[in-house]
Amino acid sequence: MTFTPHGKHLIAGAWIASEATFSSEPAHGPAYDFSLGTPELVAQACEAAEEAFWSYGYSTRAERAAFLNAIADEIEARAEAITEIGSQESGLPEARLKGERGRTTGQLRMFADHIQKGDYLDRRHDAALPDRAPAPRPELFTMQRPIGPVAVFGASNFPLAFSTAGGDTAAALAAGCPVVVKGHGAHPGTGEIIAEAIHAAVEKTGMPKGVFSLVQGGDRSVGQALVQHPLIKAVGFTGSLGGGRALFDLCAQRPEPIPFFGELGSVNPMFLLPEAVSARGEALGQGWAGSLAMGAGQFCTNPGIAVMLEGAEGEALVEAARAALSETGAQVMLTDGIAKAYASGAEKVAREPGVQELLSSVCDVREAKPFLFRISADDWLGNHALTEEVFGPLGLVVVAKDVDQMVEVARSFAGQLTATIHMGDGDAPLGRRLMPVLERKAGRVLVNGFPTGVEVCDTMVHGGPYPASTNFGATSVGTLSIRRFLRPVCYQNLPAALLPEDLAEIAQ
Ligand code: NAP
C-alpha cells in the first residue's frame, strides 16, 4: 500500500493547505511538496485545542483509553504505508521502522491501561476534623488534573515513537490535554499519515476535533509561535541542545512562563572497571562498537565516551572496538544537516589538544562512518569542549591514571540521560565510589549493559539534569512521563454534588 501525501496541515479535523510549500528531502524515493506552516495556522490550532479542552479535559478515563487504543488500531491499519514512507524519509531500515511502530502503538496502549488504573491521579484525602481544637479541619482532597493544550515537537531520530503520535503526544492525550504537533521537516509525510490515523480515531470515538492538530514546519517562526502562544500550557520536545535551549528561553520569557520539557544532548559515559576489562575486554570493546554504530549512532542514549584505566588490557579493549568499528560500513543519516553536523563535530574533536585519532573516516553527503578517538584524563579534565554530544557513531576513550582520576572524570560530566558501569564482582569498591557521583549526573544508571534501547515501562526515566533535559524532575519515556502534563488541585470542603467523579470514587 503506497501512501502519497497531499501535503496539508491537519487543523482541528480539517486538512488545510497554505500557499507556500517546502519540499521533503527523503533519503530515497520521491520527494513531495508540503504546505509551509505559519503562525496563523498555529493560532488556529491552539484556539481549537483550548476549545476542545473544555470537553476533552473532563472526559472519563475510559473514554480517553478508548481514544488511545483507537489511535493504535488506526496506526496498525496503515502499517505498511507507514513503514514505507518512514523509511524513505528517514533512511532508517524498514525493520527498524516496524519495531518503532510497535513501540509507538505499545506506548499508546500502555497509557490506555495506565489511566484506567487511576494511580496516576495520586488521589489524597484528609477527612474533616470538625471537633479539632483550636480550629476544626475541613475535608480536603487532592488530585492531578490536566493542564490544558500541550505543544509537541517531533524528533528527527524517532519518526514514530518520539514524533506525531509518540511518547509526548500519548502522555498528553492520556492526561486529558489536547495536542498541537509541530511536524519535523525531516519526515513530513510520516507525520501526515500518522495525523490521518489520529484523525480517524477522533472521528471513530467522537472526540472533539480540536483535540489534535498537526502544523507542518518548514519555517522557524512556526515553532516559535507555538511555544509563545498564550493558550499553550507546556511543551514536549526532543532535539538539539541549541534548538531546545532557544525554545526553552522563549517559554521562560512569556508573560505567563510555561514548563518546557526538552530532552536534549547526552554523551552517556561508560566506566570500564579493571576486573571487567581484564575478564572480557574484547567482548566489551565489540559490544561498545555495536552500540555506538547502531542506527548510525543517532540515539540520544548513544554511549559516546568510555572511561578506563591505563594499561595493556584496556588497550586490547580499545583495539577490539577499533577493529569492529572499522568493519562497519557507511550508514545513511536522517538528514543532510545532521550528517554535516556529524562531520564537523568529528573534525572539531580531532583538533582538540591531546586527542589521538584511532579511526577516522571520510563521509559522503548524508552518510556516517565511525570515528574513534583517545585522550588522557589529564587532557580531558581541562577541556569542556569534549563533553559536548556529537550526534552519530563517534567514540572517545578517556584514559585515567588511577581510580581517583576516574572518579574525578566522573565528577567532571554535566547532566546525562544515562551513565554505565561495566564491572566484575571485585570492582564493587570502585563501583560504590562512582555510584553517588553518577546518580547525581544521570537519569538512568546501568551496570553491565549498553544504554541504547530504552524500555517503555513504569520504572523508566529518560531525562536527567541539564543539559540532558531542561527539567530534571521529568521523564519523556514510560508511564511517569504523564506527570509532565498534570498539576495537583486541592478541593476543600466540596459537597458531593461538586466533587469530581474521580474523587467521588474514593470519597466513600
Ligand atoms: P533540532 O534542530 O533541535 O530541531 C528539533 C525541532 O525544533 C525541529 O522541529 C526544529 O524546527 C525546531 N527548532 C529547532 N531550533 C528552533 C528554533 N530556534 N526556533 C524554532 N524552532 C526550532 O533537532 P533535530 O533536527 O532533531 O536534530 C539536529 C540535532 O539534534 C542532531 O544533530 C543532534 O545533535 C540533536 N538530537 C538530539 C536528540 C536527543 O535525543 N538528544 C535527538 C535528536 C536530535 P526546524 O526543523 O524547522 O528547524
Side-chain angles (χ1 to χ4, degrees):
M1 191 207 325
T2 296
F3 171 71
T4 305
H6 48 58
K8 295 175 185 166
H9 313 275
L10 175 64
I11 313 285
W15 291 101
I16 297 178
S18 41
E19 270 177 34
T21 59
F22 69 96
S23 179
S24 62
E25 293 173 10
H28 52 87
Y32 298 102
D33 282 344
F34 289 85
S35 290
L36 199 70
T38 63
E40 292 72 30
L41 288 163
V42 166
Q44 274 183 42
C46 293
E47 281 155 25
E50 171 68 10
E51 183 58 32
F53 184 68
W54 290 111
S55 53
Y56 190 69
Y58 299 86
S59 57
T60 65
R61 290 180 274 133
E63 284 164 346
R64 292 202 298 286
F67 177 42
L68 293 166
N69 283 325
I71 298 173
D73 292 345
E74 293 295 334
I75 289 175
E76 276 155 11
R78 292 161 179 76
E80 282 168 34
I82 290 170
T83 302
E84 187 187 39
I85 188 127
S87 175
Q88 285 176 356
E89 290 189 326
S90 66
L92 295 169
E94 293 206 349
R96 153 77 196 270
L97 263 297
K98 281 184 191 162
E100 207 184 311
R101 192 183 67 239
R103 177 173 163 159
T104 308
T105 53
Q107 280 177 164
L108 288 157
R109 296 191 194 286
M110 174 191 76
F111 274 114
D113 288 346
H114 185 60
I115 57 173
Q116 297 257 47
K117 286 183 202 138
D119 299 349
Y120 81 101
L121 293 167
D122 195 8
R123 291 172 283 196
R124 295 161 190 232
H125 180 211
D126 284 310
L129 301 176
D131 302 326
R132 190 179 68 173
R137 182 171 78 182
E139 183 172 46
L140 294 146
F141 289 92
T142 195
M143 178 175 71
Q144 299 289 331
R145 293 290 301 138
I147 56 174
V150 166
V152 170
F153 284 71
S156 58
N157 59 340
F158 279 87
L160 301 174
F162 277 93
S163 281
T164 312
D168 289 343
T169 299
L173 291 177
C177 300
V179 170
V180 179
V181 170
K182 186 265 174 194
H184 200 291
H187 52 255
T190 314
E192 182 182 308
I193 191 169
I194 296 289
E196 193 184 277
I198 299 174
H199 179 49
V202 168
E203 302 261 290
K204 220 184 200 174
T205 54
M207 288 294 156
K209 293 193 186 309
V211 74
F212 175 82
S213 292
L214 166 70
V215 184
Q216 296 285 8
D219 189 314
R220 285 273 155 99
S221 64
V222 179
Q224 288 160 4
L226 183 56
V227 302
Q228 289 181 298
H229 197 285
L231 294 172
I232 291 296
K233 297 298 173 204
V235 182
F237 173 96
T238 304
S240 67
L241 179 55
R245 182 62 202 238
L247 293 167
F248 170 88
D249 288 343
L250 287 178
C251 287
Q253 288 156 14
R254 291 166 41 128
E256 179 197 342
I258 53 167
F260 177 86
F261 297 101
E263 195 252 276
L264 312 174
S266 191
V267 289
N268 304 295
M270 294 197 311
F271 293 82
L272 310 171
L273 306 200
E275 194 178 283
V277 171
S278 168
R280 50 196 156 88
E282 196 180 334
L284 274 177
Q286 288 165 349
W288 182 36
S291 183
L292 200 57
M294 187 196 295
Q298 301 168 115
F299 288 102
C300 30
T301 49
N302 202 29
I305 292 183
V307 187
M308 62 175 205
L309 297 178
E310 60 188 17
E313 286 172 331
E315 294 310 320
L317 179 155
V318 174
E319 176 47 31
R322 196 202 61 78
L325 286 170
S326 64
E327 281 165 25
T328 308
Q331 295 180 75
V332 181
M333 294 203 92
L334 293 158
T335 65
D336 289 358
I338 287 176
K340 260 191 220 151
Y342 174 61
S344 66
E347 264 176 41
K348 203 170 147 231
V349 173
R351 282 198 306 269
E352 293 295 330
V355 168
Q356 188 191 344
E357 212 165 73
L358 303 178
L359 177 68
S360 70
S361 310
V362 177
C363 305
D364 286 340
V365 178
R366 205 163 171 168
E367 258 189 14
K369 289 182 195 152
F371 284 84
L372 187 63
F373 299 101
R374 182 183 191 285
I375 190 170
S376 70
D378 283 335
D379 286 326
W380 161 273
L381 286 166
N383 189 347
H384 289 289
L386 287 167
T387 59
E388 285 167 24
E389 176 188 29
V390 179
F391 197 61
L394 182 147
L396 175 63
V397 181
V398 180
V399 184
K401 282 191 294 233
D402 52 31
V403 293
D404 288 344
Q405 199 176 36
M406 183 181 262
V407 175
E408 208 184 330
V409 170
R411 282 169 176 256
S412 73
F413 282 101
Q416 301 292 326
L417 292 169
T418 70
T420 302
I421 299 174
H422 285 280
M423 60 180 282
D425 291 344
D427 291 318
L430 176 53
R432 274 198 298 274
R433 279 189 70 188
L434 285 168
M435 270 308 291
V437 183
L438 300 186
E439 194 186 68
R440 228 183 132 183
K441 303 282 176 182
R444 177 163 56 111
V445 179
L446 62 147
V447 170
N448 291 342
F450 293 96
T452 36
V454 180
E455 196 66 36
V456 181
C457 57
D458 287 337
T459 46
M460 180 48 61
V461 173
H462 192 60
Y466 187 83
S469 85
T470 53
N471 188 313
F472 54 67
T475 169
S476 63
V477 176
T479 50
L480 259 181
S481 67
I482 196 172
R483 290 231 180 129
R484 295 172 299 167
F485 307 124
L486 297 165
R487 65 182 183 89
V489 177
C490 176
Y491 302 89
Q492 181 172 331
N493 205 30
L494 263 67
L498 297 196
L499 208 58
E501 201 179 302
D502 279 328
L503 284 176
E505 283 175 23
I506 65 158
Q508 287 90 28

